[in-house]
Each structure stands twice: as structure tokens, then as C-alpha cells.
Amino acid sequence: QQSGRKYNLFLKRRLRIDKRHQSKDSIFFRDGVRRIDFVLSYVDDFNKEWEKKLERRKEFESNLQKAGLELETEDKKESEDGKIFFVKIHAPWEVLITYAEVLNIKVPIKENDIPSMVENPLDCVLFPLRLPEKVMHPEPDYFTAPFSKDKQELYLINDESTFFSPSMRNRIVNYILTRCPYGTEEGKKKFGIKRLLNNGTYTAAYPLHDCQYWKKANDPNCDSERYTLYMEWARFLRFYKEQPLDLIRKYYGEKIGIYFAWLGFYTEMLFLAAVVGLICFLYGLFTMDENMSSKEICDPAIGGEIIMCPLCDRDCEYWRLNTTCESSQYSHLFDNVATLFFAIFMGIWVTLFLEFWKRRQARLKYEWDLVDFEEEQQQLQLRPEYEAKCTQKKRNPVTQEMEPYLPLTSQAVRFCISGATVLFWVSLIIASMIAVIVYRLAVYAAFASLMENTQTLQPISGLLTPQLATSVTASCLNFVIIMILNFFYERIAIWITDMEIPRTHMEYENRLTMKMFLFQFVNYYSSCFYVAFFKGKFVGYPGAYTYMFNRWRNEECDPAGCLIELTTQLTIVMAGKQIWGNIQEAIVPWICNWWGRRKARNNPENLYSRWEQDHDLQTFGALGLFYEYLEMVIQFGFITLFVASFPLAPLLALMNNILEIRVDSWKLTTQYRRPVAAKAHSIGVWQEILNGMAILSVVTNAFIVAFTSDMIPRLVYYYAYSENEDSPMSGYINNSLSVFLISDFPERNEPKENPENFVICRYRDYRYPPDHERKYLHTMQFWHILAAKLAFIIIMEHVVFIVKFFVAWMIPDVPADVKAKIKREKYLTQKILHEYELEKLKERLCQGDKRATEKEFIATEGRMELSRAM
């Protein structure tokens, strides 16, 4: 019986294969002529909503056909699992030209005759990094003009089926789908595919990839651009090659193209920062043995004889300074004179990066026909959700047409709720950071006791000090809390942005971006700000320590400074985020797709159709790029705001970004459905965020050098307090430690044991000794150092800001050759259009059209002369 069942299944499959001569991997309708521009899928689940969903689908598909679209349905029997219906959509020529005019799509009118740029003399050196010309520039360069149905003969229409690229076609169909009505419910007109997806009427809506990524399509009419992108761009072995930006733009649209252009440019600029940072790190490594401070700490006759005061109350013991020998040596890797140079360099690098990106962006705007896009965007991107939810209408003073609007009172209430929600979550982050600080304070004594009494930890006690152990575990705990809060807040931010009902897509993205960035800024950077600017700054002194909540004694910095702890915090959070991000971006979608396709692996190609293959992929989503930008901007903050503490941060970011480009391209090409093409002329509000972080980074790095590192105290000692001309830095450690009389300890602070009967202990501060008349008050050296720190901050900020603004002023935002090309193209386009109108007018005159007067002819010629003169 079982063999008979298998035989029947075999016959059924053979019949299905024989029934179709055309491969189901095709991207065309059954006739093999009409291209599939979009696919809708749904499942017939017979529940209480079934009839309502059926009615919605009938109405929606009927309205799509009324709009001119052509539909072809694949029955569920034809699908691999026997459950899913697929509705294939084709936009005929009449629909395409109608909506191309509505969307103001620019199309070619003449091949570009402007000479290309002068050849780069380094081309022969850079040849191994180049891609083939056909991949880099898949289409000739044209002069373009907005499409008009009345002037079709003006455009270079060689073939109607290929005149509009697949990305243009799916953009047009998506525009219709998002605005097509499907009935009236509860007295309100309902429309848009997004609502139908949300209520389960359809399960998916997506344009098709043009082929399988690992092999070319069998159909000669298919360009197999997905295959080309995979082979030349999405494989990691191509990491050293340039990106085919024109092909990315052609296949995915300008919005995704501009993201990869920015990411590639950012990675290129990181190379310079990484090289300089590595040189600064190597300087610290090679001069480690010459560092007088760590020499004195490690010297048994100096550091071995200095008894330090306990780092916690009661349970901690007195300890010798030379126990921190290794950590003081490693601290010199990042806390040296090269740190100052690198902080100033990065302030200038950030400016160069932003200014040169503006120039690169301007060039892309010209090459991708986005010069006049800003005006179009405001008109075309009215959100369907805004139109649906805003029932009240008012007259637009410009167009004099009635349009939906949200009353001011409703806006105010929504903004108040939104602001309160964001404030609550930011407060939650601060509360979690305080909890981590309390953890640091509470476990320090436990680590100190554990390392003192555990023999197995003795060999590494010099390297793994209680301070470092506390810092590492607290950093890991902080990273876990960051990830958990981030997971929940992402959903909250989308919900409150939807609640605000932004008017346009750009407004929606900008509001969501600001909410997410504010939260992420506090979430990722708060712990680094604490270590950099608060830890060890409000400790008090032995006998008069300051306490958090009158219970936990505030943390002290390591005798070698707090900079090494900031480096540890930065490394764990930055590296952890990058590793976790790559796991989320690459491994999770791959596992989901593997699981979804497990049943279809043994099917013949002509049973597992192109629309089914794409249906089983992950959805990129409208906010897919948003998360990519957010990830990179947070990384940008790590390498600019705190770079003075970790010169290797740009190198880590460079290595991550080389991988990030290939991971993003791989997942987009192989693991996700093809996104709907969208236009964008810039990186949007992220540009302003980057500018703000660039300015803030100058301030934070100046404060890190002044208050977190030991550079200023060492310089003050070198120039003002050193007594040894042959070795000016000798005696610095002894000078930087104050003396405390142990008998002055109050009972709350005094250690339980003092087996060696120490009389005095030392602590990190500049205070008078116990036998001085100004006992335990700050010395004049403390005020000198404080004045030097403040003076340094003011001088460094002013110097860097002056250089930044001078560099920004010197570098024009738009290259001169691009300006000339834009003017040339506008002139030639106007000339072509005027000549076309003149020819039409001549034809009408020859045909005896009375409406075409001689005066009209003269006026048209005059307009051409005026345009030529201008």
C-alpha cells in the first residue's frame, strides 16, 4: 500500500512537471511575455474571519485590475506545501507611463556627452581592487528628464518591456498597492496593502529576485543581476574589491545604494584613522620599559615599600603599591603622550570624513539623477496611514485642495505621551546604570578577599587586580542589560512613533531615528561616561570617604589611573556589540531560511517556483536600513567620543566594517526577499547626528585627556615640581600619593586586621600630611593641576574647533566639476526639450493647425535663444 502511495505521488509530480513547459523559476507570467512585478500570497484558513478576508481580497484585487494592473493566480495545489495561494501582478506599459509621470521618474533622453574625469595615475596600482567595467557601470550614462506621456517620442525607448528597470517597476506597483482601496469598514474607507498584511488578509507582498543567487537564470531575457551581485560583491573573498554601487542602485534602488556608498566611504576613511591609532599604540608598546611611573611602581625599593590604604571598609587589607605593577605597565599603552596627539588628530579626521562625504554624496546625487529630488520627496511621500487616520480635512493654502490634517490638540496630546514614554525609558537606563555601579561597589570587597585568600589566583594576582576583575564583570553585566533594554525599547519606539501619526515617510523616519538614537546614546555610552568622568572623582579621603546612598563607598581609580578601566569598558561593549550584531544579522536569518526551506530541498526546480523560493526568505522590512545606520552610528560614537582612551578602536571598527559590508550584502542578496526600491538623496537625519557627535567628541576627548588620564598631573610635575634634572619624572609616584595616619581612621573605615602594625598608609590625592597645620586639606599642587586641566580643555577645544571650522570652510560641499556638470545637463536638457517643442510646432504649422500661430513659433524660438544665452 505504501509503495502504491509513493507511485501515485510520483505520477502526480510528473503530471505537474509535464503540464508546464516553462520553468517555474521564471519571473514571467505563464505566457512567458509579461514580467512579474510583484507577488501577493495568502492562505485560506477557514476560521470566523475567513469570509471577511475573502471579501477584502476580492474587492482589493478588483480595484487593482481597475487601476490597470494584470493579475494571475497560482492555486494552492500548485504550491509546494499545498496551502498557499500566490497572486502575481504585472504592470502593463500604459500603467507604467501613467505612474512614471505621477512619480516624476526621470528617464533617458540622450546619451551623456560630457567627457569623463581625467584618468587617475594610481589606476595601475589600484587595478587589483577594481571590478569589471560591465559590473561597475551596467548602463550607459544618460541625460535624463522627468517622464511625460505627451512626449514619449522624446525619450530613448528602444523596448517598452525593458525601458523601465525592474526596480522602477516594483516601485510603481508598490505605490498603487499602498493606495488601493478594499472597502469600507465601520464607516471608514480602508485602503493599502499594509493594512491587509496586518489583518492577515494577505501573508506577504514582495517583488521577485530575478534569479537564484548561485546560478544564472535559464531565461535569456533575464539579466541575472542577483547572481552578478552575489559573485562580485556579496562573497567575503571579494572583501578587497570596490563595491558595484551603480548595480546596487539599479537592483535595489537609491536608498539602499546610498547606504552602501556611505558605509564603504566610512570604511575607507577608517583606514587612515586605524593606521595612526596603531602607530600610537605601538609607540606606547615600545616605550613601555622607559615609563618612569610604572618603573617606580614595580621597583621593590619604591613601590614595594609604599603601603596603600584599604580600598574598602573593614574587610579590605593594606596593600603594597607594587602589586599593581603589571596593570600600570599596560596602562602606559594607552596613557602616554601619543594619546594627546591622537585625540587632536581624530577631531580633525572627523571633520575631514564629514566634509569629504558631503562631496561624495553630491557626486552620487548627480550621477543617480537625485539633484531635484528634495522637492519631489515632500509631495510624493505622504503616508497612507496618515491619510487613513486623519478624518478631518482642511484646504491647502498652496494647492487650494482639501487634504487630511491632524488637529493641534491631538498632536499635543500624542507628543506628551511620546515624550513621557521616552523619558521613562531613559530613566530606566540611568537606574540600571546605577544598579551596575552599586554592583561594582558591593562586589569589590568580595573580589579583594577572594584574591587574597585563594592560592590558585596568586600567580595572576598582579595582572588581575580586584579593580580589573570588578571592571570586567561589571562591563559584561552592563552589556547584557544594554541588550535586554534595547530589545524592548525598539518595539516601544516604533509603537509611539506610529501613535504620533507623522505626515510623511521622511518625518516618520526622522522621529523614529531621534527616539532610537537618544535611547541608544544613553544606553551604550552611559557606562563609559561614568568610568571616564565620575569614577574616582568623588571618593573623599581616608577617614572622610563619600558614600552612595550612605552605604556603599565610592570607587577609587587604580594608582595608574582610570584610563585602563575605560579602555576595558569600551573594548567589551564595542566588541560585544559588533559580535552580537553580526550573529543577529547573518546567522539568525540563515537558520530561519534553512528551517523554512527544509521541506523543499528535494523538489525539482520546476516545482519549487521563483515566487515560492522568495516567499521562504526573510522580510527586509521598511526599517531594515534604519537598524544598519543605527549600528554604524553607535560604532562611530565609540571611535570618536572615547578614542583618546583606546587608539585601537578605529582598527577594530575597520575590521568589523570590512566584514559588515560583506555580511550586509550577503544577507540582502541571499537571505532576504528583494526590498521595494525607494529613493533617497542623502543619509538623511543621520548626517546631523554625525555632525553633533563630531562636535561632542572634541569636548569628551579633551575631558578624557585632562581628567581621566594622568597626562596633565605628569606635565605639571615635570615642569613645576620635579627636583631631579637628570630624570625629571623620577619621584612622581611618591609626589602623587598623600599620607594618612592610620590612627585617624574612624571605626567604620578601619580594617579588621593590621598584622604588620603599619603606622601610615598612602592614597591617591594631593593633600597635606597629618603633621601639617592644614591637615588633609588640598595642597597648592592640587589647584595648580586643576587650573592646568581647565586651561588644557579650553586650549585643546579652541584649537581643534578652529582647525575643524577652517577645514570645513576650505572644502566645498559640491565639487567644482559636479557643479559644472549639473549646469551643463540642465542646459542641454532644456535645449533638447525646446527643440522638441519647436519641431512639434513646425509640424502643426505645416499641417495647417490654426492654433499654432506665428507668434507662438517666434516665442518658442526666443525661449531657446534665452536659454542658450543663460
Side-chain angles (χ1 to χ4, degrees), residues 298-362:
C298 297
D299 190 343
I302 302 175
E305 295 300 318
I306 295 176
I307 308 303
M308 301 296 292
C309 297
L311 293 169
C312 65
D313 295 337
R314 303 295 291 166
D315 294 325
C316 293
E317 299 178 351
Y318 299 100
W319 53 285
R320 296 182 186 275
L321 182 60
N322 64 350
T323 57
T324 61
C325 175
E326 285 86 350
S327 63
S328 70
Q329 288 176 330
Y330 288 120
S331 180
H332 178 71
L333 287 172
F334 308 107
D335 192 359
N336 54 64
V337 70
T339 301
L340 172 59
F341 164 76
F342 193 57
I344 295 171
F345 167 80
M346 285 302 291
I348 298 166
W349 174 88
V350 166
T351 306
L352 290 172
F353 163 63
L354 293 173
E355 292 302 315
F356 282 124
W357 165 246
K358 288 178 187 174
R359 292 170 63 83
R360 180 80 177 98
Q361 192 169 257

Side-chain angles (χ1 to χ4, degrees), residues 31 39 127 174 220 286 447 485 510 563 615 766 773 783 856:
D31 58 18
V39 175
F127 180 76
N174 184 65
F286 293 140
F447 275 122
L485 288 175
N510 288 352
L563 201 70
H615 180 268
Y766 293 92
E773 59 180 8
W783 300 110
E856 188 180 351

Side-chain angles (χ1 to χ4, degrees), residues 398-454:
V398 178
T399 62
Q400 291 298 307
E401 293 179 0
M402 298 299 289
E403 62 177 29
Y405 85 104
L406 195 63
L408 193 61
T409 51
S410 178
Q411 286 185 46
V413 171
R414 292 170 189 275
F415 277 125
C416 287
I417 295 171
S418 173
T421 307
V422 173
L423 195 62
F424 167 77
W425 278 88
V426 170
S427 304
L428 198 62
I429 299 169
I430 295 170
S432 68
M433 187 189 71
I434 292 171
V436 172
I437 294 170
V438 168
Y439 163 83
R440 298 173 76 111
L441 303 179
V443 302
Y444 178 80
F447 275 122
S449 176
L450 181 69
M451 291 180 180
E452 186 72 29
N453 301 321
T454 306

Side-chain angles (χ1 to χ4, degrees), residues 93-107 145-152 155 163-164 168 171-172 175 376 379-380:
W93 176 253
E94 293 73 21
V95 172
L96 292 173
I97 60 175
T98 300
Y99 285 93
E101 189 169 9
V102 171
L103 294 173
N104 212 23
I105 290 176
K106 290 185 175 181
V107 293
F147 188 84
S148 173
K149 287 171 70 174
D150 300 331
K151 301 173 183 175
Q152 288 187 47
Y155 309 112
F163 179 68
F164 293 104
M168 285 181 186
R171 184 174 162 224
I172 289 170
Y175 182 85
E376 299 170 25
Q379 299 168 11
L380 300 178

Side-chain angles (χ1 to χ4, degrees), residues 1-13:
Q1 189 177 359
Q2 191 173 1
S3 60
R5 207 176 283 165
K6 284 184 178 178
Y7 181 70
N8 288 335
L9 182 62
F10 169 77
L11 285 177
K12 185 180 176 183
R13 286 193 172 184

